Amino acid sequence: MCGIVGYIGTKEKKEILLDGLQELEYRGYDSAGIAVIENHHLEHFKAVGKLENLRNKTKSYNSNGFGVSIGHTRWATHGKPTELNAHPHLGEFSFVVHNGIIENYQELKKELQSQNVTFLSQTDTETIVHLFENYYKKTPNAFTAFTQTVSRLEGAYATLLITEAAPEAIFFAKNGSPMLIGFGEEEVYFASSDTPIIGKATEVYYLEDGEYGYTQNGTVFLFNADGAKKFTTKALATDKAMAQKDGYRFFMEKEIYEQAHVMNDTMMGRVLDNRVYFEELENNLFDNIRAIKICACGTSYHAALTGSYLLERIAKIPCHVEIASEFRYKEPLLHDDTLFITISQSGETADTLEALKMAKRAGLKSLSICNVDNSSIVRESDQAILTRAGIEKGVASTKAFATQSMVLWMLALYVAQLREAIDADTLQQELQAMRQTPKALLVNDKLHEKIHRLSKRYLHGHGFFFIGRDLFYPLALEGALKLKEISYRHAEGYPAGEMKHGPIALADSELFTIALMPKTLHYDKIKSNVEELSARDATILAISPEPFELADDFIQTHYDEHPMLEFFEMMVVTQLLALEVSIRLGNDVDMPRNLAKSVTVE
Ligand code: AGP
């Protein structure tokens, strides 16, 4: 969730770093910093807040002639957004920038502290630079010391290191966080995504997990576990807008594909060892709390409903969900033993913000689950959990919903731990399933192709019913909302068991039913609900791990051991269906008519 830029060459380095960081600022803007070594002289600058502050601080600084340089824009995970916690982190003669989380940093830190190393920051990153210098002091070869350092790191990282011990080189390593190397004329660039170097470098190499090395005199020396590695570069895109979409047709499509990756960010530092941790929450948040109320709008409301099933089932705490615009005017009865949770992607939704203010006036403790730090809702809440989905550009929310649902699942486990409502074995099973979520979210080419093909049958008809039970009811609501937002077709989400209480009157061959049929939750019940619809000639698209004979179309899912893995896998299917129908209808997927990304009016 941070951004990295590096440059080695003769051009003015400050501008290259700052311009590059500007492109990445959306990934984090708690603080930023740069470090340059030129003529054996080490210089560094850091500033809290937006990049603008760093620009102002470096106004009178210039770096001409050959040199090495690194820069970083931060989104705080370990330690508050302060100048000391900003990257680059400093040792005695080296600097490091890093994205990701070093999971074993506490162990490494203790080891270094026992050897009288002093730490200045609260970050996990600082261990990298001290580890390097410690090894260098024992074996004064910078690359050997860097290799030894990398071999000790556990977790996710993309890191760059510069040192006075080898002032003409940049050392790099990548595992789990993105990093690429760009090649220009007698110059080499590094970045955590390609937009900062477009228009500067012409060729690019995207580093793979486990790769590390250094660059010197215009040459990159690359290694992995098998030793030195040859690599081939490819031409770098020239169109920034296209590059931002990474070759996808729409931001929404890119964001659907990104979900597997961002889920790692959401879990990072929170799903550790045998427990769920939320470092950002004060220990007493749940003291004297007997119930939870969640308020949200739209997709965030659907995540809230999902959360209510999880909180009641796993944490055994009563949980009620309300649409924020309804809650505001119903004169709700509020008790101070209720924790008030708001969920919002943007953190600016007027109805949700107002609901939060009402709850606070009534003396309730508040927690927000949000994707945007420092947004109005985050600032107004007593405490906040950030979803870390990264910026979401498609108006139709996808990865925000996925990460909200994940945070709620983690929160349910967290509360269950606090209330001792879960036994150790069940907790382990939940965590094991949770760790598999990124895989369940991977989009398989065959699946996408299949949905593309069958979408042509779902362009007309007089309506769609997305049906599901239990956790899959909110998912049905969300599937229907996605479809109606971008295809402009009428779609409803319904609890499958309710169809016979009215809506089944609509059933005929022109009624499309998207049936969410998980194996792990009430399969037989939903099956008989779908049979009832099939008997009335409704057209059925069944999504399930179990083949279903009566389906007109069938999409087979694979995860059948945990409801949430089924949930996430089916969520991707419904998102792709909406996307493909909308594309076939020629709609603007990213900016559907009549909608806005952030609804700041009542
Ligand atoms: C989602 O696809 C929608 N565009 C919309 O329902 C959205 O979820 C809703 O407006 C709430 O927004 P928020 O999460 O930013 O508060």
Side-chain angles (χ1 to χ4, degrees):
M1 281 303 297
C2 306
I4 288 184
V5 179
Y7 173 75
I8 175 165
T10 53
K11 288 190 183 139
E12 209 290 301
K13 281 156 274 305
K14 176 187 79 179
E15 286 307 322
I16 291 177
L17 296 178
L18 292 180
D19 289 353
L21 292 177
Q22 193 78 57
E23 295 289 342
L24 299 172
E25 198 182 14
Y26 73 91
R27 291 189 58 84
Y29 37 79
D30 293 336
S31 55
I34 58 172
V36 178
I37 304 180
E38 209 174 55
N39 298 326
H40 292 264
H41 179 66
L42 219 158
E43 193 67 80
H44 80 284
F45 303 88
K46 298 183 188 192
V48 173
K50 292 214 162 194
L51 200 60
E52 199 49 39
N53 301 343
L54 184 63
R55 263 193 205 282
N56 290 334
K57 217 169 177 177
T58 53
K59 252 188 194 142
S60 56
Y61 172 71
N62 268 309
S63 78
N64 294 306
F66 176 81
V68 298
S69 58
I70 54 178
H72 188 272
T73 172
R74 176 170 187 249
W75 189 81
T77 52
H78 284 73
K80 296 202 175 335
T82 60
E83 217 168 282
L84 271 184
N85 286 335
H87 301 218
H89 286 283
L90 164 73
E92 288 172 40
F93 49 89
S94 321
F95 276 102
V96 72
V97 291
H98 159 235
N99 285 353
I101 288 185
I102 305 303
E103 283 174 3
N104 59 335
Y105 84 100
Q106 269 162 332
E107 172 196 323
L108 296 173
K109 192 169 175 176
K110 265 191 213 140
E111 180 184 315
L112 289 159
Q113 281 170 327
S114 72
Q115 296 172 51
N116 299 322
V117 173
T118 311
F119 279 76
L120 299 174
S121 78
Q122 300 157 306
T123 66
D124 52 332
T125 301
E126 198 185 340
T127 49
I128 304 176
V129 71
H130 293 310
L131 206 55
F132 167 78
E133 293 190 347
N134 223 32
Y135 281 123
Y136 183 78
K137 284 176 193 164
K138 288 177 196 151
T139 318
N141 175 304
F143 182 57
T144 309
F146 186 72
T147 307
Q148 287 169 322
T149 303
V150 172
S151 71
R152 299 291 309 282
L153 305 180
E154 286 171 22
Y157 50 84
T159 185
L160 297 179
L161 181 142
I162 57 175
T163 174
E164 282 178 304
E168 300 188 336
I170 293 183
F171 298 87
F172 59 87
K174 180 231 186 288
N175 194 46
S177 295
M179 170 83 91
L180 54 88
I181 311 178
F183 298 83
E185 250 178 59
E186 292 179 22
E187 55 186 3
V188 177
Y189 295 83
F190 291 87
S192 47
S193 80
D194 47 16
T195 41
I197 63 166
I198 288 176
K200 297 188 170 89
T202 48
E203 292 282 307
V204 66
Y205 175 70
Y206 294 89
L207 285 165
E208 286 172 18
D209 284 346
E211 291 183 343
Y212 63 97
Y214 64 101
T215 176
Q216 204 168 9
N217 302 329
T219 308
V220 169
F221 301 90
L222 185 71
F223 300 81
N224 65 11
D226 302 326
K229 190 183 164 186
K230 287 206 172 99
F231 64 97
T232 42
T233 60
K234 58 182 186 180
L236 179 64
T238 51
D239 176 350
K240 258 186 198 167
M242 199 53 209
Q244 282 175 340
K245 287 188 196 156
D246 285 348
Y248 294 103
R249 296 164 292 177
F250 296 95
F251 280 109
M252 182 189 174
E253 186 177 31
K254 175 179 174 236
E255 286 155 7
I256 293 172
Y257 275 73
E258 262 172 14
Q259 292 177 119
H261 175 68
V262 298
M263 211 47 110
N264 282 318
D265 289 337
T266 306
M267 286 193 284
M268 217 177 264
R270 292 167 170 170
V271 182
L272 292 176
D273 316 320
N274 303 324
R275 288 178 86 76
V276 173
Y277 297 84
F278 282 112
E279 248 185 20
E280 54 272 73
L281 297 186
E282 282 166 21
N283 291 338
N284 62 1
L285 179 64
F286 284 88
D287 287 359
N288 307 320
I289 292 297
R290 290 177 203 284
I292 290 177
K293 186 178 281 293
I294 316 183
C295 250
C297 302
T299 288
S300 299
Y301 167 74
H302 300 153
L305 278 180
T306 307
S308 72
Y309 284 89
L310 295 168
L311 282 157
E312 293 212 342
R313 183 165 290 146
I314 299 174
K316 313 280 182 240
I317 185 162
C319 179
H320 302 283
V321 179
E322 303 211 33
I323 289 180
S325 55
E326 284 300 307
F327 174 82
R328 286 179 64 176
Y329 298 103
K330 70 183 278 206
E331 299 176 26
L333 297 176
L334 299 171
H335 298 286
D336 60 9
D337 62 357
T338 300
L339 175 69
F340 193 80
I341 301 183
T342 47
I343 305 181
S344 174
Q345 183 282 131
S346 62
E348 302 297 343
T349 302
D351 285 320
T352 311
L353 182 59
E354 197 45 47
L356 169 60
K357 287 181 181 165
M358 279 171 62
K360 284 186 73 184
R361 282 197 293 271
L364 271 64
K365 285 198 214 173
S366 58
L367 166 70
S368 61
I369 295 175
C370 190
N371 198 35
V372 182
D373 198 5
N374 293 317
S375 57
S376 305
I377 289 176
V378 167
R379 280 185 279 120
E380 190 68 35
S381 303
D382 296 331
Q383 298 189 36
I385 299 176
L386 296 177
T387 47
R388 305 179 183 165
I391 198 164
E392 188 179 63
K393 292 199 172 173
V395 165
S397 184
T398 51
K399 60 178 181 168
F401 174 72
T403 52
Q404 287 167 345
S405 305
M406 176 53 105
V407 164
L408 286 156
W409 184 13
M410 292 194 289
L411 188 68
L413 291 175
Y414 178 81
V415 180
Q417 288 166 190
L418 288 179
R419 294 164 63 92
E420 295 178 1
I422 190 164
D423 64 72
D425 286 349
T426 316
L427 178 61
Q428 286 327 303
Q429 284 160 18
E430 291 289 314
L431 293 177
Q432 216 178 338
M434 200 170 257
R435 291 193 182 97
Q436 286 189 59
T437 306
K439 272 202 226 140
L441 287 165
L442 279 174
V443 182
N444 168 305
D445 285 349
K446 265 195 195 156
L447 170 77
H448 195 162
E449 177 53 26
K450 177 164 186 178
I451 295 174
H452 165 71
R453 270 188 290 110
L454 64 79
S455 62
K456 63 177 173 282
R457 291 215 246 159
Y458 293 87
L459 304 179
H460 309 293
H462 61 72
F464 288 78
F465 266 86
F466 284 69
I467 59 168
R469 297 183 77 123
D470 205 294
L471 284 168
F472 294 79
Y473 162 49
L475 186 59
L477 289 172
E478 176 58 11
L481 180 66
K482 282 296 81 82
L483 188 79
K484 75 182 129 198
E485 281 187 298
I486 59 173
S487 75
Y488 320 140
R489 301 287 125 189
H490 180 78
E492 282 190 58
Y494 233 79
E498 269 295 294
M499 291 300 282
K500 60 175 139 338
H501 299 290
I504 203 166
L506 293 168
D508 64 20
S509 60
E510 294 295 294
L511 179 79
F512 299 140
T513 301
I514 316 297
L516 307 178
M517 305 175 70
K519 195 175 161 193
T520 49
L521 270 180
H522 324 303
Y523 180 78
D524 290 335
K525 302 272 175 219
I526 175 100
K527 187 169 169 236
S528 68
N529 298 143
V530 183
E531 280 164 0
E532 286 156 12
L533 280 156
S534 170
R536 273 95 186 159
D537 215 20
T539 298
I540 313 281
L541 165 57
I543 306 170
S544 179
E546 287 287 311
F548 180 60
E549 273 177 12
L550 300 175
D552 298 276
D553 282 310
F554 178 62
I555 293 177
Q556 185 152 29
T557 48
H558 301 92
Y559 286 84
D560 59 2
E561 275 150 27
H562 192 286
M564 283 308 284
L565 293 176
E566 291 202 75
F567 177 97
F568 284 121
E569 196 182 1
M570 290 187 191
M571 177 197 75
V572 172
V573 173
T574 57
Q575 292 168 341
L576 290 173
L577 179 69
L579 175 83
E580 289 301 327
V581 169
S582 171
I583 294 175
R584 279 192 191 274
L585 293 170
N587 298 343
D588 185 338
V589 170
D590 287 332
M591 282 187 265
R593 70 186 187 200
N594 307 338
L595 300 179
K597 187 70 189 156
S598 181
V599 186
T600 52
V601 290
E602 197 179 335

PDB file of all heavy atoms in Angstrom, residues 160-178:
ATOM      1  N   LEU A 160      14.368  -1.335  -1.707  1.00  0.00           N
ATOM      2  CA  LEU A 160      15.561  -0.782  -2.358  1.00  0.00           C
ATOM      3  C   LEU A 160      16.482  -0.277  -1.263  1.00  0.00           C
ATOM      4  O   LEU A 160      16.009   0.323  -0.283  1.00  0.00           O
ATOM      5  CB  LEU A 160      15.209   0.399  -3.259  1.00  0.00           C
ATOM      6  CG  LEU A 160      14.303   0.158  -4.463  1.00  0.00           C
ATOM      7  CD1 LEU A 160      14.075   1.467  -5.203  1.00  0.00           C
ATOM      8  CD2 LEU A 160      14.884  -0.894  -5.406  1.00  0.00           C
ATOM      9  N   LEU A 161      17.789  -0.503  -1.455  1.00  0.00           N
ATOM     10  CA  LEU A 161      18.742  -0.041  -0.446  1.00  0.00           C
ATOM     11  C   LEU A 161      19.902   0.656  -1.149  1.00  0.00           C
ATOM     12  O   LEU A 161      20.392   0.177  -2.177  1.00  0.00           O
ATOM     13  CB  LEU A 161      19.231  -1.249   0.359  1.00  0.00           C
ATOM     14  CG  LEU A 161      20.214  -0.982   1.492  1.00  0.00           C
ATOM     15  CD1 LEU A 161      19.915  -1.888   2.683  1.00  0.00           C
ATOM     16  CD2 LEU A 161      21.667  -1.193   1.068  1.00  0.00           C
ATOM     17  N   ILE A 162      20.315   1.790  -0.626  1.00  0.00           N
ATOM     18  CA  ILE A 162      21.532   2.439  -1.106  1.00  0.00           C
ATOM     19  C   ILE A 162      22.456   2.623   0.085  1.00  0.00           C
ATOM     20  O   ILE A 162      21.990   2.766   1.231  1.00  0.00           O
ATOM     21  CB  ILE A 162      21.251   3.793  -1.801  1.00  0.00           C
ATOM     22  CG1 ILE A 162      20.509   4.776  -0.893  1.00  0.00           C
ATOM     23  CG2 ILE A 162      20.500   3.598  -3.108  1.00  0.00           C
ATOM     24  CD1 ILE A 162      20.321   6.170  -1.503  1.00  0.00           C
ATOM     25  N   THR A 163      23.775   2.601  -0.185  1.00  0.00           N
ATOM     26  CA  THR A 163      24.719   2.645   0.923  1.00  0.00           C
ATOM     27  C   THR A 163      26.019   3.323   0.503  1.00  0.00           C
ATOM     28  O   THR A 163      26.472   3.154  -0.636  1.00  0.00           O
ATOM     29  CB  THR A 163      24.999   1.213   1.440  1.00  0.00           C
ATOM     30  OG1 THR A 163      26.021   1.269   2.427  1.00  0.00           O
ATOM     31  CG2 THR A 163      25.410   0.248   0.339  1.00  0.00           C
ATOM     32  N   GLU A 164      26.603   4.042   1.437  1.00  0.00           N
ATOM     33  CA  GLU A 164      27.908   4.643   1.148  1.00  0.00           C
ATOM     34  C   GLU A 164      28.975   3.570   0.973  1.00  0.00           C
ATOM     35  O   GLU A 164      30.038   3.836   0.425  1.00  0.00           O
ATOM     36  CB  GLU A 164      28.296   5.585   2.290  1.00  0.00           C
ATOM     37  CG  GLU A 164      27.567   6.912   2.186  1.00  0.00           C
ATOM     38  CD  GLU A 164      27.918   7.832   3.337  1.00  0.00           C
ATOM     39  OE1 GLU A 164      27.741   7.408   4.486  1.00  0.00           O
ATOM     40  OE2 GLU A 164      28.356   8.945   3.071  1.00  0.00           O
ATOM     41  N   ALA A 165      28.684   2.356   1.419  1.00  0.00           N
ATOM     42  CA  ALA A 165      29.645   1.263   1.249  1.00  0.00           C
ATOM     43  C   ALA A 165      29.754   0.844  -0.218  1.00  0.00           C
ATOM     44  O   ALA A 165      30.725   0.199  -0.611  1.00  0.00           O
ATOM     45  CB  ALA A 165      29.212   0.065   2.095  1.00  0.00           C
ATOM     46  N   ALA A 166      28.765   1.172  -1.028  1.00  0.00           N
ATOM     47  CA  ALA A 166      28.805   0.882  -2.471  1.00  0.00           C
ATOM     48  C   ALA A 166      28.007   1.992  -3.156  1.00  0.00           C
ATOM     49  O   ALA A 166      26.878   1.788  -3.578  1.00  0.00           O
ATOM     50  CB  ALA A 166      28.207  -0.489  -2.764  1.00  0.00           C
ATOM     51  N   PRO A 167      28.605   3.192  -3.239  1.00  0.00           N
ATOM     52  CA  PRO A 167      27.803   4.372  -3.611  1.00  0.00           C
ATOM     53  C   PRO A 167      27.371   4.415  -5.061  1.00  0.00           C
ATOM     54  O   PRO A 167      26.685   5.350  -5.460  1.00  0.00           O
ATOM     55  CB  PRO A 167      28.738   5.538  -3.275  1.00  0.00           C
ATOM     56  CG  PRO A 167      30.100   4.962  -3.268  1.00  0.00           C
ATOM     57  CD  PRO A 167      29.995   3.538  -2.899  1.00  0.00           C
ATOM     58  N   GLU A 168      27.755   3.405  -5.847  1.00  0.00           N
ATOM     59  CA  GLU A 168      27.356   3.438  -7.250  1.00  0.00           C
ATOM     60  C   GLU A 168      26.317   2.369  -7.557  1.00  0.00           C
ATOM     61  O   GLU A 168      26.066   2.058  -8.722  1.00  0.00           O
ATOM     62  CB  GLU A 168      28.595   3.232  -8.125  1.00  0.00           C
ATOM     63  CG  GLU A 168      29.588   4.335  -7.852  1.00  0.00           C
ATOM     64  CD  GLU A 168      30.755   4.357  -8.769  1.00  0.00           C
ATOM     65  OE1 GLU A 168      31.078   3.292  -9.329  1.00  0.00           O
ATOM     66  OE2 GLU A 168      31.341   5.439  -8.927  1.00  0.00           O
ATOM     67  N   ALA A 169      25.737   1.803  -6.525  1.00  0.00           N
ATOM     68  CA  ALA A 169      24.810   0.681  -6.745  1.00  0.00           C
ATOM     69  C   ALA A 169      23.489   0.916  -6.019  1.00  0.00           C
ATOM     70  O   ALA A 169      23.427   1.613  -5.002  1.00  0.00           O
ATOM     71  CB  ALA A 169      25.441  -0.616  -6.238  1.00  0.00           C
ATOM     72  N   ILE A 170      22.426   0.301  -6.585  1.00  0.00           N
ATOM     73  CA  ILE A 170      21.161   0.188  -5.843  1.00  0.00           C
ATOM     74  C   ILE A 170      20.901  -1.303  -5.654  1.00  0.00           C
ATOM     75  O   ILE A 170      20.984  -2.080  -6.614  1.00  0.00           O
ATOM     76  CB  ILE A 170      19.984   0.827  -6.604  1.00  0.00           C
ATOM     77  CG1 ILE A 170      20.158   2.351  -6.708  1.00  0.00           C
ATOM     78  CG2 ILE A 170      18.657   0.512  -5.905  1.00  0.00           C
ATOM     79  CD1 ILE A 170      18.998   3.079  -7.385  1.00  0.00           C
ATOM     80  N   PHE A 171      20.614  -1.712  -4.437  1.00  0.00           N
ATOM     81  CA  PHE A 171      20.307  -3.105  -4.129  1.00  0.00           C
ATOM     82  C   PHE A 171      18.787  -3.244  -4.062  1.00  0.00           C
ATOM     83  O   PHE A 171      18.107  -2.358  -3.529  1.00  0.00           O
ATOM     84  CB  PHE A 171      20.950  -3.506  -2.798  1.00  0.00           C
ATOM     85  CG  PHE A 171      22.456  -3.403  -2.853  1.00  0.00           C
ATOM     86  CD1 PHE A 171      23.090  -2.198  -2.557  1.00  0.00           C
ATOM     87  CD2 PHE A 171      23.220  -4.474  -3.265  1.00  0.00           C
ATOM     88  CE1 PHE A 171      24.467  -2.074  -2.652  1.00  0.00           C
ATOM     89  CE2 PHE A 171      24.608  -4.369  -3.355  1.00  0.00           C
ATOM     90  CZ  PHE A 171      25.231  -3.166  -3.045  1.00  0.00           C
ATOM     91  N   PHE A 172      18.286  -4.361  -4.591  1.00  0.00           N
ATOM     92  CA  PHE A 172      16.827  -4.528  -4.623  1.00  0.00           C
ATOM     93  C   PHE A 172      16.432  -5.962  -4.278  1.00  0.00           C
ATOM     94  O   PHE A 172      17.229  -6.897  -4.467  1.00  0.00           O
ATOM     95  CB  PHE A 172      16.272  -4.165  -6.020  1.00  0.00           C
ATOM     96  CG  PHE A 172      16.845  -5.006  -7.127  1.00  0.00           C
ATOM     97  CD1 PHE A 172      16.269  -6.224  -7.476  1.00  0.00           C
ATOM     98  CD2 PHE A 172      17.982  -4.602  -7.825  1.00  0.00           C
ATOM     99  CE1 PHE A 172      16.797  -7.014  -8.484  1.00  0.00           C
ATOM    100  CE2 PHE A 172      18.519  -5.384  -8.838  1.00  0.00           C
ATOM    101  CZ  PHE A 172      17.924  -6.593  -9.172  1.00  0.00           C
ATOM    102  N   ALA A 173      15.218  -6.128  -3.791  1.00  0.00           N
ATOM    103  CA  ALA A 173      14.685  -7.479  -3.536  1.00  0.00           C
ATOM    104  C   ALA A 173      13.168  -7.402  -3.593  1.00  0.00           C
ATOM    105  O   ALA A 173      12.579  -6.378  -3.235  1.00  0.00           O
ATOM    106  CB  ALA A 173      15.122  -7.977  -2.161  1.00  0.00           C
ATOM    107  N   LYS A 174      12.559  -8.485  -4.059  1.00  0.00           N
ATOM    108  CA  LYS A 174      11.089  -8.501  -4.179  1.00  0.00           C
ATOM    109  C   LYS A 174      10.522  -9.837  -3.748  1.00  0.00           C
ATOM    110  O   LYS A 174      11.008 -10.904  -4.136  1.00  0.00           O
ATOM    111  CB  LYS A 174      10.717  -8.240  -5.643  1.00  0.00           C
ATOM    112  CG  LYS A 174       9.212  -8.235  -5.867  1.00  0.00           C
ATOM    113  CD  LYS A 174       8.832  -9.149  -7.004  1.00  0.00           C
ATOM    114  CE  LYS A 174       7.407  -9.128  -7.409  1.00  0.00           C
ATOM    115  NZ  LYS A 174       6.421  -9.704  -6.587  1.00  0.00           N
ATOM    116  N   ASN A 175       9.508  -9.772  -2.943  1.00  0.00           N
ATOM    117  CA  ASN A 175       8.776 -10.983  -2.566  1.00  0.00           C
ATOM    118  C   ASN A 175       7.368 -10.602  -2.121  1.00  0.00           C
ATOM    119  O   ASN A 175       7.202  -9.988  -1.076  1.00  0.00           O
ATOM    120  CB  ASN A 175       9.499 -11.713  -1.426  1.00  0.00           C
ATOM    121  CG  ASN A 175       8.966 -13.106  -1.248  1.00  0.00           C
ATOM    122  OD1 ASN A 175       8.792 -13.825  -2.225  1.00  0.00           O
ATOM    123  ND2 ASN A 175       8.667 -13.483  -0.017  1.00  0.00           N
ATOM    124  N   GLY A 176       6.393 -10.872  -2.938  1.00  0.00           N
ATOM    125  CA  GLY A 176       4.997 -10.626  -2.527  1.00  0.00           C
ATOM    126  C   GLY A 176       4.485  -9.217  -2.750  1.00  0.00           C
ATOM    127  O   GLY A 176       3.289  -8.994  -2.696  1.00  0.00           O
ATOM    128  N   SER A 177       5.365  -8.253  -2.956  1.00  0.00           N
ATOM    129  CA  SER A 177       4.918  -6.881  -3.260  1.00  0.00           C
ATOM    130  C   SER A 177       5.520  -6.515  -4.621  1.00  0.00           C
ATOM    131  O   SER A 177       6.652  -6.900  -4.907  1.00  0.00           O
ATOM    132  CB  SER A 177       5.419  -5.893  -2.210  1.00  0.00           C
ATOM    133  OG  SER A 177       4.828  -6.181  -0.982  1.00  0.00           O
ATOM    134  N   PRO A 178       4.787  -5.759  -5.432  1.00  0.00           N
ATOM    135  CA  PRO A 178       5.272  -5.529  -6.795  1.00  0.00           C
ATOM    136  C   PRO A 178       6.495  -4.605  -6.890  1.00  0.00           C
ATOM    137  O   PRO A 178       6.638  -3.693  -6.083  1.00  0.00           O
ATOM    138  CB  PRO A 178       4.058  -4.886  -7.492  1.00  0.00           C
ATOM    139  CG  PRO A 178       3.202  -4.365  -6.412  1.00  0.00           C
ATOM    140  CD  PRO A 178       3.469  -5.162  -5.181  1.00  0.00           C
TER     141      PRO A 178
END
